[in-house]
Amino acid sequence: MPAYKSIEWLEDQKALRLLDQTRIPAELKYVTLSRVEDIAAAITDMVVRGAPAIGVTAAYGLAGAAWREESDLLSAAMTRVADADAILRASRPTAVNLFWALDQMHHRVARQQPTSLAAYRAALVDAAHALAREDVEINKAIGHAALDIVPQEATFIHHCNTGGIATVDYGTALGIIRIAHEAGRKVHVYVDETRPRLQGGRLTSWELQQLGISHQIIVDGASGFVMKNKSVDMCVVGCDRVAMNGDVANKIGTYNLALVAQAHGVPFYVAAPISTIDPEMPSGDRIEIEERPASEITEIDGVKVAPEGAEVFNPAFDVTPAHLISGIITEKGIIYPPFEETLKTLFLSNEQDHE
């Protein structure tokens, strides 16, 4: 089992310990953060990344904010937490898990109706712990749901990083691969390097090494050649937001991979916790796409690789249309087209389960 933890609440310090993903694979380094401004910066700067990990990090950010209130007034702590919520919501715009987790924190704490500062603080920490535990359970459920479609000898193409460091543990799309491996399937993974930040080449390859899973890194543009000349069984990717028509926002390059998969008749599956389904988003056309600094493209590890002054367009995500997606793998099972119907049924069923 991996010897690292992506996210850990330090009860004695009332602080959050994060695995610094910007340092992998060079070193295994952790940062300890207590100020909400620093936690938000860690999300923005991708010290922590991956939609589920961002959501749980933000949840602990609210808990930490309550503990940093120096007065003994419940009202003051609640105001401080509200301010922290606004800061965290502004850290990254595309991943719906960030907003979902913050909403969940408020709903769960409100149900407990804390009447003292101590009870309020405890309720926030308990709610964040619950979200962290549930994330692991959800990821495992996604992996087990996918076993029905994973052959005994399975070759995958995977984009970006969706493993145990993009979540609390196990992962979504990479969790599917991990659970297939643990179930005795003979697994091989072609790992898209995932420009511009190389999350596949740096992070996914590193995680697969830790797990002892056979893999090869490929450049993003090699996927067509690989699908034409190798026996690829399926593409599996994660996602940051699912619209109600089945359009999916994910790391830039996912749309390209889906088009290539369709051209070669390779099934294209999206791993999606139900928390990534956005009931307010009718289609992917309305999803806000984050644009990131030009230096992510013009530099690699601080070394300039583009001409000085070159103009850059750097969207962090793209939207894959529903018609390119074979199925969406959730903790409640796999749903198939027509997604307008199956997503609505799934979402309503999940809401009823939590009433």
Side-chain angles (χ1 to χ4, degrees):
M1 296 294 290
Y4 53 85
K5 289 186 177 180
S6 61
I7 302 167
E8 185 177 11
W9 174 255
L10 304 178
E11 180 62 29
D12 58 336
Q13 300 180 42
K14 303 297 186 289
L16 188 59
R17 185 173 182 252
L18 298 174
L19 176 62
D20 186 348
Q21 297 187 40
T22 67
R23 306 299 299 173
I24 297 171
E27 62 177 331
L28 200 63
K29 179 183 177 182
Y30 291 88
V31 294
T32 300
L33 308 171
S34 58
R35 297 174 64 250
V36 69
E37 293 84 359
D38 295 332
I39 293 171
I43 294 171
T44 300
D45 297 339
M46 298 178 71
V47 169
V48 60
R49 44 146 300 281
I54 288 172
V56 173
T57 295
Y60 280 118
L62 291 190
W67 279 98
R68 286 187 63 81
E69 175 53 45
E70 296 178 355
S71 77
D72 58 359
L73 297 175
L74 173 59
S75 59
M78 294 178 74
T79 297
R80 190 170 191 129
V81 168
D83 292 341
D85 179 278
I87 292 169
L88 289 162
R89 285 179 191 271
S91 58
R92 293 198 75 181
T94 303
V96 74
N97 286 69
L98 170 63
F99 312 105
W100 174 86
L102 292 169
D103 290 342
Q104 282 290 307
M105 288 290 288
H106 295 301
H107 294 327
R108 295 181 186 209
V109 170
R111 284 201 299 266
Q112 296 189 39
Q113 299 181 329
T115 57
S116 69
L117 177 58
Y120 181 58
R121 286 169 167 168
L124 283 163
V125 173
D126 288 347
H129 283 335
L131 288 177
R133 288 193 302 271
E134 290 165 16
D135 182 64
V136 181
E137 294 167 2
I138 287 166
N139 293 340
K140 288 181 178 180
I142 288 171
H144 286 291
L147 283 176
D148 288 343
I149 60 171
V150 176
Q152 288 297 320
E153 295 188 10
T155 299
F156 297 91
I157 292 184
H158 177 275
H159 190 68
C160 196
N161 173 262
T162 64
I165 59 176
T167 61
V168 177
D169 195 12
Y170 265 83
T172 54
L174 207 59
I176 290 170
I177 294 168
R178 175 177 172 177
I179 285 178
H181 170 73
E182 292 176 350
R185 309 289 165 90
K186 186 178 180 181
V187 171
H188 183 74
V189 188
Y190 289 104
V191 177
D192 270 359
E193 62 174 354
T194 319
R195 282 285 289 149
R197 292 183 65 97
L198 302 173
Q199 293 99 322
R202 292 190 304 107
L203 305 178
T204 296
S205 179
W206 180 82
E207 283 201 73
L208 292 173
Q209 281 186 340
Q210 310 304 306
L211 296 167
I213 295 176
S214 171
H215 68 282
Q216 293 170 290
I217 301 171
I218 61 173
V219 299
D220 295 358
S223 59
F225 182 87
V226 169
M227 289 188 214
K228 181 179 180 181
N229 294 285
K230 306 290 183 180
S231 297
V232 175
D233 294 292
M234 65 183 71
C235 299
V236 288
V237 301
C239 65
D240 292 83
R241 192 180 297 235
V242 180
M244 291 306 289
N245 70 338
D247 294 347
V248 168
N250 193 47
K251 182 56 54 185
I252 192 74
T254 303
Y255 182 22
N256 297 52
L257 185 64
L259 287 167
V260 174
Q262 183 189 58
H264 291 85
V266 174
F268 187 91
Y269 288 96
V270 176
I274 292 173
S275 59
T276 60
I277 300 170
D278 187 350
E280 304 300 321
M281 193 64 62
S283 75
D285 294 337
R286 292 177 54 186
I287 296 175
E288 180 181 357
I289 299 299
E290 175 186 4
E291 292 184 32
R292 293 188 59 81
S295 60
E296 291 184 348
I297 290 179
T298 61
E299 300 177 9
I300 298 178
D301 289 339
V303 178
K304 289 187 180 296
V305 294
E308 192 69 39
E311 295 188 8
V312 169
F313 174 51
N314 184 21
F317 303 90
D318 56 29
V319 175
T320 299
H323 72 270
L324 297 176
I325 298 170
S326 304
I328 299 175
I329 307 169
T330 78
E331 64 268 33
K332 295 291 184 69
I334 306 173
I335 61 170
Y336 296 96
F339 292 121
E340 292 91 342
E341 298 176 13
T342 54
L343 275 170
K344 183 178 180 180
T345 300
L346 174 69
F347 189 80
L348 291 175
S349 173
N350 189 64
E351 289 288 288
Q352 291 169 1
D353 289 346
H354 289 84
E355 286 181 353

